[in-house]
Amino acid sequence: MSLNFELIHEDRECKNAVILFHGLTGSPFELKKYGLYLFKNGYDVYADCLPGHGDRVDEIYTVKYTDWTEFATFKFEELIQKYENIFVSG
């Protein structure tokens, strides 16, 4: 089961996106209500499970903080190609 979610306005071109990042012991699931709020207010929303989170509890021991910063940078660089404004929240 994937915990990731994307809320994208299919019927119009959106210029603004928000990347949501969960906390150390969390998952994107806990950000779903917040993501829906942002989506209803005109933002495309992206929330992915950070490396080391998700399927198994012991995965957290396989990553370093640099894995998270690299993941965040990659996601930002991917979305900046599509949107004028990228906001980061969590």
Side-chain angles (χ1 to χ4, degrees):
M1 175 178 92
S2 175
L3 299 172
N4 303 337
F5 68 86
E6 295 180 356
L7 302 169
I8 302 170
H9 291 91
E10 301 287 339
D11 58 336
R12 65 180 174 85
E13 190 171 317
C14 189
K15 295 181 180 182
N16 301 306
V18 179
I19 306 171
L20 297 179
F21 292 108
H22 60 81
L24 182 62
T25 60
S27 76
F29 177 78
E30 68 190 21
L31 299 168
K32 193 76 171 207
K33 280 187 180 179
Y34 181 39
L36 286 168
Y37 172 81
L38 293 167
F39 179 74
K40 289 177 184 174
N41 283 280
Y43 296 90
D44 283 356
V45 180
Y46 297 84
D48 293 298
C49 233
L50 291 170
H53 294 75
D55 293 333
R56 295 187 336 262
V57 175
D58 60 342
E59 284 182 358
I60 195 69
Y61 300 112
T62 66
V63 294
K64 299 177 278 194
Y65 79 92
T66 53
D67 296 318
W68 298 327
T69 57
E70 288 172 9
F71 177 82
T73 301
F74 173 79
K75 191 66 177 178
F76 178 84
E77 289 174 350
E78 176 183 66
L79 294 178
I80 201 67
Q81 304 299 315
K82 183 177 178 183
Y83 297 95
E84 287 183 23
N85 301 297
I86 306 292
F87 301 93
V88 178
S89 187

